[in-house]
Amino acid sequence: MKNKVVNMSEAVASLVQNGDTLVIEGFTHLICFAAAHEIIRQGKKDLTLARLTPDLIYDQMLAAGTAKKLIFSWAGNPGVGSLHAFRRLVECKPRKIEIEEYSHFGMVARFSAGAANLPFWPLRNYMGTDIPGHNPLIKTVTCPFTGETLAAVPGLRPDITVVHAQRADRFGNAQVWGLLGVQKEAAFASKRVIVVAEELVDESVIRNDPNRTLIPGSIVSAVVIEPWGAHPSYAQGYYDRDNDFYVKWDQVARTEESLKEYLDRYVFGVKNRHEYMQIQPELLRLKAKAQISEGVNYGY
Amino acid sequence: MKNKVVNMSEAVASLVQNGDTLVIEGFTHLICFAAAHEIIRQGKKDLTLARLTPDLIYDQMLAAGTAKKLIFSWAGNPGVGSLHAFRRLVECKPRKIEIEEYSHFGMVARFSAGAANLPFWPLRNYMGTDIPGHNPLIKTVTCPFTGETLAAVPGLRPDITVVHAQRADRFGNAQVWGLLGVQKEAAFASKRVIVVAEELVDESVIRNDPNRTLIPGSIVSAVVIEPWGAHPSYAQGYYDRDNDFYVKWDQVARTEESLKEYLDRYVFGVKNRHEYMQIQPELLRLKAKAQISEGVNYGY
Amino acid sequence: MAIEPSADYTPSELMTVQAARELPDGAVVFVGIGLPNLACNLARATHAPNLCMIYESGAVGAIPDRVPPSIGDPSLVTGSLMVASMSEIFQFFLQNGKIEVGFLGGAQIDKYGNLNTTVVGSYDAPKVRLPGSGGACEIAIFAQRTLVVMKLNKRAFPEKVDFITSPGMRSLGKSRSEWGMPGGGPVKVITDKCIMEPNPTTGELEVSALYPGATIENVQENVGWKLSVRSPLGTVEPPNATEVKLLREVLDPDRLHIK
Amino acid sequence: MAIEPSADYTPSELMTVQAARELPDGAVVFVGIGLPNLACNLARATHAPNLCMIYESGAVGAIPDRVPPSIGDPSLVTGSLMVASMSEIFQFFLQNGKIEVGFLGGAQIDKYGNLNTTVVGSYDAPKVRLPGSGGACEIAIFAQRTLVVMKLNKRAFPEKVDFITSPGMRSLGKSRSEWGMPGGGPVKVITDKCIMEPNPTTGELEVSALYPGATIENVQENVGWKLSVRSPLGTVEPPNATEVKLLREVLDPDRLHIK
């Protein structure tokens, strides 16, 4: 296999195209803000952003004008409240962006179908709710054995998915522990995959514990090594979630002006994640304490 | 949660009923021969045995007269050749047992649907083959989005599934590494689950590395601690596969008489797995060598 | 455990205690953040030490050593029993009927227990755009029973919600059984003045117990439909000193959730 | 690497070497046991050090340090790159088109490359009951291309197989594209006397290369349909000394697979 390590700027320039359907997943855990910031810096546009929880990361990308459409299931600031940039775009008629809305299960099903190369995924869901009434892509399918009517959602095949991992080798074999979200499904569903890792490790580290591998290098287009690349999200065993930042964002995003100031300083005002960390040395307080698991025997 | 540890005899007596659909899974790895032997000893009958690879374990159960039906996808002796007891039952007209045959993907799909409580599972398979022509449970479903015709198999919901694991706590939280097969899907699909573990560990060992947990105690009915319970199959990190036994089985199973002698000596001739190991001290040569993985940091 | 009643308690504390008491020991509970999380931890610390807490983020059997600000907090993973992928959480746990109790809340709940967490006003021209379903829709459909925890307020308890995100006992003209919903729906709505339960025949939420000091009039003036009242009305044990002390000193010392 | 031809080699060695040479460096290969496994390991040891070997058992990027007697051998896990569940193997890898090369064999192959591993005789009254599909059916349908490795023999190469377990270029009256099969099918059938390839138009297997010393007559007398022969016929480089030495001394020293 060939060495796929590049820097974030190269990865985004070569693999993210205007108009792409882009996925940066990670459920609370391992959300790759570093990739989002570089996409904003490079002025990518007309993206369709898909993600269960748009979270601050897509609030920032929406505010920066990168997107024409959002596919999602929960658009809030977890534990805090609203996503204000998102709300400014949808609390008006007509909306300033397209939206396509599911529940979490529906989004998980869309990624699962995409990863399995199936055109749809069946689920027993949505009866008695107003969700399908506002989304024509939630249809029904009849079970050929029981005759039951089930909900069905179409497979989602992103052009590009960014997977943040704790560690990866230079070929893209990526290992994750802690919350797994739908990162594996999103990666296998995607035409192209960028792995962003906290730490570059030798292939032998991966081979030392193969059950930890989330995605194999064979489906990966590029590897970016970006310590602290998920801040203000977190990486189990590397650094804690910056809950203060999530609270602060509620104020930052409340007006277009304060949000723009944030982007000017922390996104456009730095060249890369390294500089982002340099101007915020206080973030090092989030470094994880050690709670190391014990090894298991892979011998025979 | 309550302590669910019982011995194999109690677990089988209370949880396996005549006429049940029974699954003992494990793909080459972690096949629970100890449970099969106890089921044979207790004279259970009219079972429907489901498993991707019937392997020696179901060859023995078929020979012992426990089953009325077999649901499977590959009935051979891996790396060796035929399952002779199986062949004696099906190479005649009419067959002496019912069979229901899929490919591996079809069986995986049946367990996946069962675990997800779906009545069917779609797959792009079986076109141009004679498999569906001999199995009316392979049907088709039409995608509501693209109009494509896909294959569909029905969900499989066993009455009882035996999951062999490297280690478990007394509540049934079970951890597995190495090959995972379809054990998780089979367990979640099943009405009742017996976990058989090589080693009883404290709950704290499970909590020390939660990403290794294959199935949670909340779906487990009983826990049996049975070292060497998978022999002649293997348990990664505990003992190697007894490849010699697989080769030898080809001779043992070739006639009803020699197979009966085997069962008389190694199944009916012992009370439990402990005695089975005592009369074969040479098996200790299979004990695994150490190749311990490194821990990861779960701190934050 | 002390059974002496607490000298004082806030409405949030009262609601949390009522919710905790609905959780039997050993139950498998799908936990949301905020008061439900506190209620589960309170139950674990008192009568239900073996409660199995599952989060839609994938943490199973979590024992967080801090108050988790989000359902994906790292403290939910460290020391948990299992990490499941979200595909497993929704398919193998929820859709498969393995979740006994689910917690729900929302901006609006109506007389059939339908919940709205999507939009106030119309979907295409929202007055307030809320976050949306998340996992709430499927929790409402699949959990064997759900508990709703919400403060009374006329805008939050309309006769009909603006958008049904999570179906209650009757929605879009059909009952749960007519829709073929596997779960039991909202068996209790725990408010700050009373407990409501669905009428077994009509599915309408009716007052089943009043808190000490509350009156039916207090409740009715905060609810957008004509309330039925069960007879005899159930009683509610106020929080005891142990429960209040645990909430204040151990489970939410920084008052993140209990105001 | 030595390119001196080997002084002697067996038909199995010749087949294994031909199969190995079909594997480009870096390819993702779905490996079966026996000769295909040896062929992959030989390719890894010679021109394709970065071959990614995937087994239906779930081992990805295996580097076994012994000859694995089964596709679920523990040696395939120790030191591998990833363990995938079988659900992932079949859905995310195979059905998702991520497998470039699949190896197949069988008791019978017919003129369209259809393979039978299910039954000789009729399904309901078998002369010989074979193991069945395992993953072969879906490997044949989904792998970007498949390689078949089988020794010539009149019973093994009938005009029509008794049961189609794994579809070839044309089955049950339709071509692969008419069936909508995603994979490319059997691009090469590697026998002990020749290599066959499907005719691009008709899908019939025809002789594309003869091994040194073999004749069309040798081949035809072992095959149950009238063989077409490509013109010009391709040539086949016999095994070189390095390849034979590797097979005999390192990869299969106990002659488990190579007879």
Side-chain angles (χ1 to χ4, degrees):
Chain A
M1 272 184 278
K2 74 175 214 290
N3 184 347
K4 297 171 184 168
V5 177
V6 295
N7 67 35
M8 183 66 86
S9 161
E10 294 163 335
V12 167
S14 64
L15 292 164
V16 180
Q17 315 297 330
N18 291 339
D20 272 357
T21 295
L22 169 87
V23 174
I24 304 179
E25 255 302 331
F27 195 83
T28 319
H29 187 209
L30 298 171
I31 305 173
C32 192
F33 280 79
H37 286 188
E38 182 59 26
I39 289 167
I40 293 172
R41 267 193 296 272
Q42 294 193 13
K44 302 289 182 185
K45 55 180 199 290
D46 296 328
L47 300 173
T48 292
L49 301 178
R51 205 181 129 72
L52 274 66
T53 59
D55 199 276
L56 311 199
I57 187 172
Y58 283 2
D59 213 32
Q60 294 177 4
M61 291 181 74
L62 292 174
T66 61
K68 66 168 187 222
K69 181 172 177 181
L70 183 66
I71 304 176
F72 74 104
S73 45
W74 194 84
N77 181 340
V80 178
S82 288
L83 293 179
H84 298 292
F86 163 75
R87 285 181 62 182
R88 277 192 291 276
L89 294 169
V90 301
E91 285 180 353
C92 50
K93 189 172 182 176
R95 289 185 202 98
K96 293 178 189 149
I97 46 160
E98 282 179 75
I99 62 171
E100 186 183 311
E101 183 168 2
Y102 301 84
S103 63
H104 280 350
F105 190 9
M107 285 295 288
V108 168
R110 291 207 62 188
F111 283 123
S112 299
N117 187 26
L118 285 174
F120 77 99
W121 199 263
L123 61 169
R124 298 178 186 274
N125 209 359
Y126 299 126
M127 56 287 233
T129 81
D130 285 323
I131 298 171
H134 294 276
N135 184 343
L137 288 179
I138 299 176
K139 297 195 175 186
T140 60
V141 65
T142 303
C143 173
F145 300 97
T146 63
E148 289 166 89
T149 302
L150 304 169
V153 293
L156 181 57
R157 308 254 13 187
D159 296 297
I160 170 85
T161 290
V162 178
V163 174
H164 198 93
Q166 276 111 330
R167 63 190 185 195
D169 68 17
R170 63 206 160 111
F171 309 117
N173 297 294
Q175 298 196 324
V176 167
W177 56 97
L179 299 178
L180 305 172
V182 290
Q183 301 226 50
K184 182 181 282 193
E185 289 82 1
F188 273 95
S190 197
K191 290 178 202 144
R192 304 185 291 279
V193 175
I194 299 174
V195 161
V196 182
E198 289 294 322
E199 197 176 347
L200 177 68
V201 295
D202 190 77
E203 187 183 335
S204 64
V205 173
I206 304 291
R207 293 190 181 274
N208 177 262
D209 197 350
N211 282 96
R212 295 234 192 263
T213 305
L214 189 79
I215 55 171
S218 59
I219 67 164
V220 172
S221 309
V223 177
V224 177
I225 305 305
E226 199 76 288
W228 297 86
H231 175 271
S233 165
Y234 72 100
Q236 193 100 28
Y238 289 76
Y239 45 90
D240 196 359
R241 186 169 185 264
D242 190 352
N243 293 307
D244 293 345
F245 184 85
Y246 277 79
V247 172
K248 206 174 69 181
W249 183 255
D250 191 60
Q251 286 308 312
V252 171
R254 224 167 253 271
T255 69
E256 291 185 28
E257 294 67 35
S258 57
L259 206 162
K260 182 172 179 307
E261 275 169 35
Y262 174 84
L263 293 180
D264 282 345
R265 170 139 191 227
Y266 294 98
V267 180
F268 295 110
V270 298
K271 273 212 306 283
N272 51 35
R273 181 87 343 187
H274 180 68
E275 281 192 20
Y276 171 91
M277 289 304 294
Q278 275 190 318
I279 63 168
Q280 304 174 87
E282 69 280 9
L283 297 183
L284 299 177
R285 76 182 187 283
L286 296 166
K287 194 165 161 35
K289 289 177 283 293
Q291 179 148 341
I292 312 293
S293 67
E294 285 187 38
V296 297
N297 189 5
Y298 275 98
Y300 59 87
Chain B
M1 272 184 279
K2 73 176 214 290
N3 184 347
K4 296 171 185 168
V5 177
V6 294
N7 65 36
M8 184 66 86
S9 160
E10 295 164 335
V12 168
S14 64
L15 293 166
V16 181
Q17 316 297 328
N18 292 337
D20 273 358
T21 295
L22 170 88
V23 173
I24 303 179
E25 254 305 329
F27 195 84
T28 320
H29 188 210
L30 297 171
I31 305 173
C32 192
F33 280 78
H37 287 188
E38 183 59 27
I39 289 167
I40 293 172
R41 268 193 296 273
Q42 294 192 15
K44 301 290 182 186
K45 54 180 201 291
D46 296 328
L47 300 174
T48 293
L49 301 178
R51 206 181 127 71
L52 273 67
T53 60
D55 200 276
L56 311 198
I57 188 172
Y58 282 2
D59 211 33
Q60 295 176 4
M61 292 181 75
L62 292 173
T66 61
K68 66 168 188 222
K69 182 173 176 180
L70 184 66
I71 304 175
F72 73 103
S73 46
W74 194 84
N77 180 342
V80 180
S82 287
L83 294 179
H84 298 293
F86 163 75
R87 285 181 61 182
R88 279 192 289 278
L89 295 169
V90 302
E91 285 181 353
C92 50
K93 188 171 182 176
R95 288 185 203 99
K96 294 178 187 149
I97 47 160
E98 282 179 74
I99 61 171
E100 185 183 312
E101 184 168 2
Y102 300 85
S103 64
H104 281 348
F105 189 9
M107 285 295 287
V108 168
R110 291 208 62 188
F111 283 124
S112 299
N117 187 26
L118 284 174
F120 77 100
W121 199 264
L123 59 170
R124 298 179 188 271
N125 209 358
Y126 297 128
M127 56 285 234
T129 82
D130 284 322
I131 298 171
H134 294 275
N135 184 343
L137 288 179
I138 299 175
K139 298 196 177 186
T140 59
V141 65
T142 303
C143 173
F145 299 97
T146 62
E148 290 166 88
T149 301
L150 304 170
V153 293
L156 180 57
R157 308 260 3 192
D159 296 298
I160 170 86
T161 290
V162 178
V163 173
H164 199 92
Q166 275 111 330
R167 62 191 186 196
D169 68 17
R170 64 206 161 111
F171 310 117
N173 298 294
Q175 297 195 324
V176 167
W177 56 98
L179 297 178
L180 305 172
V182 290
Q183 300 227 51
K184 182 180 282 193
E185 289 81 1
F188 272 96
S190 197
K191 290 178 199 142
R192 305 185 290 282
V193 175
I194 299 174
V195 161
V196 182
E198 289 294 321
E199 196 177 352
L200 177 67
V201 294
D202 191 76
E203 187 182 334
S204 63
V205 173
I206 304 291
R207 291 190 182 275
N208 176 260
D209 197 351
N211 282 95
R212 295 236 191 259
T213 304
L214 189 79
I215 56 170
S218 59
I219 67 163
V220 172
S221 307
V223 177
V224 177
I225 305 305
E226 200 77 287
W228 296 87
H231 175 270
S233 164
Y234 73 100
Q236 192 100 30
Y238 289 76
Y239 45 90
D240 196 358
R241 187 168 185 265
D242 190 351
N243 293 308
D244 294 345
F245 184 85
Y246 278 79
V247 172
K248 206 173 69 179
W249 184 255
D250 191 61
Q251 286 309 311
V252 170
R254 225 168 251 271
T255 71
E256 289 186 30
E257 295 66 36
S258 58
L259 205 163
K260 183 173 177 310
E261 274 169 38
Y262 175 84
L263 294 179
D264 282 345
R265 169 135 193 233
Y266 293 99
V267 180
F268 295 111
V270 298
K271 275 211 306 285
N272 51 35
R273 180 85 350 186
H274 180 68
E275 282 191 19
Y276 171 92
M277 288 304 294
Q278 274 189 318
I279 63 169
Q280 302 174 87
E282 70 279 10
L283 296 183
L284 298 178
R285 78 179 186 282
L286 296 166
K287 195 164 159 36
K289 292 176 281 295
Q291 179 147 342
I292 312 294
S293 67
E294 285 188 40
V296 298
N297 189 5
Y298 275 98
Y300 59 87
Chain C
M1 197 195 314
I3 49 158
E4 128 198 44
S6 176
D8 67 321
Y9 51 82
T10 68
S12 297
E13 286 167 345
L14 178 59
M15 290 166 74
T16 306
V17 167
Q18 294 309 317
R21 290 176 184 169
E22 292 294 328
L23 300 170
D25 196 20
V28 178
V29 186
F30 212 74
V31 191
I33 219 61
L35 294 191
N37 184 66
L38 273 181
C40 291
N41 278 304
L42 180 59
R44 275 213 306 131
T46 55
H47 67 282
N50 302 305
L51 200 68
C52 180
M53 293 163 66
I54 299 189
Y55 292 77
E56 68 185 19
S57 59
V60 175
I63 45 171
D65 66 359
R66 69 180 181 196
V67 183
S70 81
I71 53 172
D73 197 63
S75 69
L76 299 172
V77 167
T78 316
S80 67
L81 285 174
M82 177 181 186
V83 175
S85 73
M86 292 188 78
S87 152
E88 291 163 1
I89 286 288
F90 286 105
Q91 297 196 103
F92 296 180
F93 286 88
L94 248 187
Q95 185 167 255
N96 195 18
K98 302 293 186 194
I99 301 295
E100 296 169 59
V101 184
F103 273 104
L104 291 171
Q108 296 180 328
I109 184 169
D110 69 18
K111 82 171 161 181
Y112 293 114
N114 296 303
L115 284 158
N116 173 16
T117 52
T118 302
V119 68
V120 177
S122 83
Y123 189 79
D124 290 315
K127 217 178 294 173
V128 183
R129 173 64 221 207
L130 305 163
S133 165
C137 166
E138 38 267 7
I139 294 170
I141 287 173
F142 293 113
Q144 290 171 26
R145 58 185 191 278
T146 55
L147 297 172
V148 178
V149 183
M150 280 174 70
K151 284 197 184 168
L152 281 176
N153 168 325
K154 193 123 195 175
R155 275 185 306 181
F157 283 71
E159 183 163 15
K160 197 170 174 314
V161 291
D162 293 349
F163 187 103
I164 300 178
T165 315
S166 307
M169 303 309 293
R170 194 172 179 83
S171 50
L172 307 181
K174 289 198 216 175
S175 69
R176 292 183 74 85
S177 63
E178 287 167 332
W179 280 115
M181 285 181 206
V187 294
K188 288 205 177 172
V189 178
I190 296 164
T191 77
D192 51 339
K193 293 191 169 60
C194 71
I195 290 175
M196 299 181 190
E197 297 181 43
N199 180 287
T201 311
T202 64
E204 267 192 47
L205 291 176
E206 52 195 23
V207 178
S208 63
L210 270 179
Y211 294 170
T215 67
I216 292 294
E217 292 67 38
N218 286 164
V219 175
Q220 180 65 70
E221 67 199 16
N222 285 293
V223 171
W225 67 92
K226 176 79 189 75
L227 280 168
S228 299
V229 179
R230 288 210 181 159
S231 171
L233 211 49
T235 54
V236 161
E237 198 75 33
N240 65 43
T242 307
E243 290 164 331
V244 170
K245 193 169 144 83
L246 274 168
L247 285 174
R248 292 182 188 175
E249 294 176 16
V250 180
L251 301 173
D252 190 16
D254 299 332
R255 310 308 268 172
L256 286 178
H257 302 295
I258 290 190
K259 304 289 147 56
Chain D
M1 198 195 313
I3 49 157
E4 124 199 48
S6 176
D8 68 321
Y9 50 83
T10 68
S12 297
E13 285 168 346
L14 178 59
M15 290 166 75
T16 307
V17 166
Q18 294 310 317
R21 291 177 184 169
E22 292 294 327
L23 301 170
D25 196 21
V28 178
V29 185
F30 212 72
V31 191
I33 219 62
L35 295 192
N37 185 68
L38 274 181
C40 291
N41 277 302
L42 179 60
R44 274 214 306 130
T46 54
H47 66 281
N50 301 305
L51 200 67
C52 180
M53 292 163 65
I54 299 189
Y55 292 78
E56 68 185 19
S57 59
V60 175
I63 44 171
D65 65 1
R66 69 180 180 195
V67 184
S70 81
I71 53 171
D73 198 63
S75 69
L76 299 172
V77 167
T78 316
S80 68
L81 284 174
M82 176 184 189
V83 175
S85 74
M86 292 188 76
S87 150
E88 291 163 0
I89 286 289
F90 286 106
Q91 297 196 101
F92 295 0
F93 286 88
L94 248 187
Q95 186 167 253
N96 195 19
K98 302 294 185 194
I99 302 295
E100 295 169 60
V101 184
F103 272 106
L104 290 172
Q108 296 180 330
I109 185 168
D110 70 17
K111 82 170 161 182
Y112 292 114
N114 296 302
L115 283 158
N116 174 15
T117 52
T118 300
V119 69
V120 177
S122 83
Y123 189 80
D124 289 317
K127 218 178 295 174
V128 184
R129 172 65 220 207
L130 306 164
S133 164
C137 166
E138 37 267 7
I139 294 170
I141 288 173
F142 293 114
Q144 290 171 25
R145 60 185 193 277
T146 56
L147 297 173
V148 178
V149 183
M150 279 174 70
K151 284 196 185 169
L152 280 177
N153 167 328
K154 193 123 193 174
R155 277 185 306 182
F157 284 70
E159 183 162 15
K160 197 170 174 315
V161 291
D162 292 352
F163 186 104
I164 300 178
T165 314
S166 307
M169 302 310 292
R170 192 172 179 84
S171 50
L172 306 180
K174 288 198 217 178
S175 70
R176 292 183 73 86
S177 64
E178 285 167 333
W179 279 116
M181 285 180 205
V187 293
K188 288 208 178 169
V189 178
I190 296 165
T191 77
D192 51 339
K193 293 190 169 60
C194 71
I195 291 175
M196 299 181 190
E197 296 181 45
N199 180 287
T201 310
T202 65
E204 269 193 46
L205 291 177
E206 52 193 24
V207 178
S208 62
L210 270 180
Y211 293 171
T215 67
I216 291 294
E217 292 66 36
N218 287 163
V219 175
Q220 180 65 71
E221 68 199 16
N222 285 293
V223 171
W225 67 92
K226 176 79 191 73
L227 280 169
S228 299
V229 179
R230 289 209 182 162
S231 169
L233 211 50
T235 54
V236 162
E237 197 74 36
N240 64 43
T242 307
E243 290 164 332
V244 170
K245 194 169 143 80
L246 275 167
L247 285 175
R248 292 182 187 175
E249 294 176 16
V250 180
L251 300 173
D252 190 15
D254 301 330
R255 312 305 272 173
L256 286 177
H257 301 296
I258 290 191
K259 303 288 148 59

